[in-house]
């Protein structure tokens, strides 16, 4: 099983808030609507999003998300960082767009199966 | 005190998504026909048609509150009501500075007409009014309050551009003066679905983009006079609000 740390390394992600990066990642959910993530994401998903708001951390905790990945050069808001540190939620960032990151992640996850 | 039929969310032809005949003059006529006494003109990220709507409203006995429907960085829509043109234009300046750059070429995203009281076109607003600002929801609401305005969470029952759809729930540090239920949902349904927010006042409005939509939903306020200050008192629980 892939871990958050392994994915960060393979995709060259910058870890802004380091939670438990030994957590497994069993799947991925991509959405910028938090209501949609609450409805459809699964436990141990990596969540790829453009949203930088502190509510993302709350949703990640509620849904058991393994880590957040902010794409396209977006950075978490200061309040998001504070909340993620308190909740030990990993937030990673990348300058790459979502499509490229998702494509590479998909390949990595398929090759692990 | 008197009951006032109030529609706090009406777009004019300045909004890229609104019908071209949504001129302030026609909106006021439609409001009179629907028996409304108070309306708010709320275009996307701009207030350039509010002054003419206010003066036209005066001639027909309709109180027009200056408002804008603002877009936060998270693409949450917030209905911002102000007490004066001075304050709304000060807020508009902040919005224009933080609105995403780009030019609306008028064929793609609507014409965005600035008009006068005779329905004559004065200008095409070239900004991307349908775009998002760089302001976080928290900063946006704080800015609205700093200009003496009231922040109403737009159509919270909708699947897009609402605080609930974009952010899942209302953040603790964001203080809305009221929550708006869209025309599509009944008051009882909304109150049961969003029971956790029952401590915040509710309004319902038309979100009209076409003349025939004006007043399809409205809120009734029991007020001393049709004014921003009285509605503000209603949002503080000191005046009756009926959905």
């Amino acid at each position: 099983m892939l871990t958050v740390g392994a994915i960060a390394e393979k995709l060259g992600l910058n870890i802004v808030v380091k939670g438990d990066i030994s957590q497994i990642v069993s799947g991925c959910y991509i959405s910028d609507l938090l209501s949609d993530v609450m409805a459809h994401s699964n436990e141990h998903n990596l969540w790829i999003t453009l949203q930088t708001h502190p509510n993302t951390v709350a949703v990640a905790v509620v849904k058991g998300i393994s880590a957040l990945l902010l794409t396209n050069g977006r950075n978490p808001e200061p309040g998001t960082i504070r909340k993620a540190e308190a909740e030990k939620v990993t937030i990673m960032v990348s300058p790459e767009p979502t499509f490229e990151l998702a494509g590479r992640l998909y390949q990595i996850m398929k090759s692990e199966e | 005190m008197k009951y006032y039929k109030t529609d706090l969310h009406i777009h004019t032809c300045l909004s890229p998504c609104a019908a071209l005949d949504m001129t302030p003059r026609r909106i006021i006529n439609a409001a009179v026909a629907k028996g409304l006494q108070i309306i708010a003109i709320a275009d996307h990220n701009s207030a350039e048609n509010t002054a003419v709507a206010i003066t036209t409203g005066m001639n027909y006995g309709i109180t027009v509150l200056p408002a804008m429907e603002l877009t936060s960085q998270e693409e949450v829509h917030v209905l911002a009501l102000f007490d004066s043109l001075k304050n709304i234009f000060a807020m508009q300046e902040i919005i224009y500075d933080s609105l995403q750059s780009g030019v609306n070429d008028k064929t793609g995203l609507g014409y965005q007409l600035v008009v006068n009281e005779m329905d004559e076109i004065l200008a095409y607003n070239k900004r991307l009014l349908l775009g998002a600002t760089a302001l976080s929801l928290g900063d946006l609401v704080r800015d609205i309050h700093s200009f003496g305005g009231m922040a109403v969470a737009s159509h919270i029952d909708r699947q897009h551009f609402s605080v609930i759809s974009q952010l899942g729930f209302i953040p603790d540090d964001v203080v809305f003066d009221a929550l708006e239920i869209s025309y599509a949902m009944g008051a009882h349904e909304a109150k049961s679905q969003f029971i956790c927010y029952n401590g915040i006042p509710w309004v319902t409005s038309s979100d009209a983009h076409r003349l025939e939509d004006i007043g399809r939903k409205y809120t009734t306020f029991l007020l001393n006079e049709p004014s921003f200050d009285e509605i503000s008192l209603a949002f503080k629980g000191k005046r009756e609000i009926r959905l």
Side-chain angles (χ1 to χ4, degrees):
Chain A
M1 270 290 187
L2 281 164
T3 63
V4 172
I7 287 172
E9 200 186 317
K10 284 173 193 284
L11 293 179
L13 308 174
N14 180 17
I15 300 175
V16 179
V17 179
K18 196 170 184 175
D20 177 8
I21 60 165
S22 68
Q23 277 207 62
I24 58 158
V25 175
S26 57
C28 175
Y29 197 74
I30 304 176
S31 178
D32 303 320
L33 297 179
L34 276 66
S35 54
D36 172 62
V37 176
M38 290 208 287
H40 297 115
S41 68
N42 292 310
E43 203 180 359
H44 295 303
N45 276 176
L46 176 74
W47 173 17
I48 304 182
T49 185
L50 295 171
Q51 287 283 9
T52 60
H53 192 274
N55 275 17
T56 53
V57 177
V59 171
V61 170
V62 167
K63 297 295 292 185
I65 297 285
S66 295
L68 276 98
L69 170 54
L70 310 183
T71 64
N72 240 6
R74 296 213 181 202
N75 288 301
E77 293 171 28
T80 308
I81 293 176
R82 280 196 297 275
K83 209 163 172 176
E85 283 169 348
E87 299 285 351
K88 303 198 182 351
V89 169
T90 301
I91 301 181
M92 305 179 289
V93 298
S94 171
E96 285 187 72
T98 300
F99 179 75
E100 276 72 15
L101 289 163
R104 286 165 56 207
L105 178 65
Y106 188 86
Q107 285 178 333
I108 292 166
M109 295 186 87
K110 286 294 157 192
S111 67
E112 284 283 317
E113 278 177 7
Chain B
M1 292 224 199
K2 203 186 136 192
Y3 286 105
Y4 292 92
K5 277 174 80 172
T6 304
D7 186 348
L8 291 176
H9 192 163
I10 298 174
H11 291 266
T12 78
C13 48
L14 175 57
S15 290
C17 41
L20 292 180
D21 59 359
M22 286 292 268
T23 61
R25 187 180 68 85
R26 289 178 186 218
I27 288 169
I28 299 296
N29 284 334
V32 170
K34 291 287 170 103
L36 296 167
Q37 285 104 26
I38 305 172
I39 64 168
I41 292 297
D43 285 307
H44 290 291
N45 299 308
S46 183
E48 293 184 41
N49 274 345
T50 45
V52 58
I54 290 168
T55 45
T56 309
M58 278 177 190
N59 296 332
Y60 289 86
I62 301 271
T63 300
V64 178
L65 301 178
M68 289 186 279
E69 188 172 33
L70 303 174
T71 312
S72 77
Q73 175 189 256
E74 305 87 351
E75 302 202 24
V76 174
H77 285 184
V78 180
L79 193 58
L81 301 155
F82 294 89
D83 64 344
S84 65
L85 288 172
K86 177 174 163 276
N87 279 325
I88 199 171
F89 287 135
M91 185 71 196
Q92 180 184 259
E93 213 168 294
I94 288 178
I95 293 301
Y96 280 176
D97 284 345
S98 61
L99 197 60
Q100 68 184 94
S101 57
V103 175
N104 175 13
D105 66 0
K106 86 187 176 189
T107 51
L109 287 169
Y111 288 87
Q112 302 186 165
L113 303 178
V114 180
V115 297
N116 66 13
E117 65 278 1
M118 310 287 285
D119 294 353
E120 292 164 336
I121 298 169
L122 300 179
Y124 297 92
N125 187 309
K126 299 279 190 190
R127 296 172 194 272
L128 284 181
L129 297 182
L130 219 49
T133 65
L135 299 167
S136 71
L137 179 62
D139 286 342
L140 182 65
V141 169
R142 272 186 289 276
D143 285 344
I144 293 166
H145 288 150
S146 76
F147 289 110
M150 297 188 280
V152 179
S154 292
H155 40 64
I156 70 159
D157 52 297
R158 269 180 37 184
Q159 297 298 310
H160 46 271
F161 301 133
S162 83
V163 61
I164 309 287
S165 73
Q166 303 305 113
L167 294 179
F169 56 93
I170 299 176
D172 286 342
D173 61 342
V174 176
V175 182
F176 286 112
D177 298 281
L179 307 176
E180 181 199 49
I181 306 161
S182 82
Y183 68 92
M185 186 176 266
H188 290 293
E189 194 187 345
K191 283 189 171 178
S192 64
Q193 188 173 332
F194 302 109
I195 195 156
C196 52
Y197 303 126
N198 270 349
I200 310 174
W202 295 91
V203 294
T204 183
S205 40
S206 70
D207 195 0
H209 287 70
R210 301 173 305 169
L211 287 169
E212 58 265 40
D213 296 338
I214 292 169
R216 62 184 162 182
K217 278 282 171 71
Y218 57 87
T219 304
T220 305
F221 291 92
L222 182 60
L223 307 172
N224 279 322
E225 56 176 25
S227 69
F228 174 94
D229 288 345
E230 284 285 308
I231 288 177
S232 169
L233 287 170
F235 288 164
K236 292 186 178 93
K238 293 176 180 160
R239 300 285 184 269
E240 187 190 332
I241 304 174
R242 285 187 186 179
L243 299 187

